[in-house]
Amino acid sequence: MKNIVITSTLRSRHMKRNSLSDLEQEVMNILWNIKSGSVRDVLTQLSKQRKYAYTTVMTILGRMVEKGVITRKLEGNGFIYFPKLSKENFIAKSVHSVFSSTVAAFGQESVSYFAKEIQSLNPKRRKELLKLLKEPK
């Protein structure tokens, strides 16, 4: 399954608070793949690529709960974490956020640059992007 990475070099104050760091994006992809998991479950998956401390993963998951991208449920002595949005809905909201903040910052001129970028994509990716842009919020 393809991992999703949403980044933007232009970020408003709202986007900085709600955007995901690289590690948070990795954790989000793990939670989408395993559907739900404890800190230990996420740590086990992350450790396949790089070693992290248990407390680091616990902190990251807590921040992601605060950002509203995941939720948690107390089970026994710890929490089980769940993605709040499907991968598809998350992508749609992220694209909308990047697009809206860019248009707000630079006006209609930015729309023409988005159109040029879309045209430069390979046909399959262009079709996928256009499909996402047509989805309702």
Side-chain angles (χ1 to χ4, degrees), residues 4 14 27 33 38 49 52 68 82 88 90-91 106 110 115 118:
I4 302 300
H14 176 71
V27 169
N33 288 333
S38 65
Q49 299 164 352
Y52 290 96
F82 306 86
E88 294 76 20
F90 181 83
I91 294 167
F106 299 106
S110 61
I118 290 169

Side-chain angles (χ1 to χ4, degrees), residues 17-121:
R17 189 186 65 200
N18 291 326
S19 63
L20 300 181
S21 69
D22 291 344
L23 180 55
E24 290 170 335
Q25 289 177 27
E26 285 183 56
V27 169
M28 200 72 219
N29 280 313
I30 288 168
L31 287 174
W32 280 319
N33 288 333
I34 66 174
K35 310 295 185 228
S36 66
S38 65
V39 174
R40 179 78 51 210
D41 296 330
V42 173
L43 178 61
T44 300
Q45 294 296 315
L46 279 174
S47 293
K48 292 177 181 179
Q49 299 164 352
R50 181 178 165 209
K51 298 292 180 203
Y52 290 96
Y54 182 92
T55 53
T56 299
V57 176
M58 190 170 61
T59 299
I60 291 297
L61 288 165
R63 287 180 184 160
M64 292 173 72
V65 168
E66 289 173 9
K67 289 180 177 185
V69 295
I70 64 173
T71 188
R72 65 184 175 196
K73 177 176 78 171
L74 186 59
E75 225 175 76
N77 292 335
F79 289 104
I80 300 297
Y81 296 87
F82 306 86
K84 213 167 188 180
L85 297 172
S86 70
K87 185 182 281 190
E88 294 76 20
N89 285 339
F90 181 83
I91 294 167
K93 284 183 153 249
S94 297
V95 169
H96 176 76
S97 178
V98 169
F99 184 79
S100 296
S101 65
T102 304
V103 171
F106 299 106
Q108 285 303 109
E109 183 179 348
S110 61
V111 175
S112 66
Y113 288 105
F114 275 111
K116 287 177 188 175
E117 288 300 316
I118 290 169
Q119 290 302 320
S120 70
L121 296 173

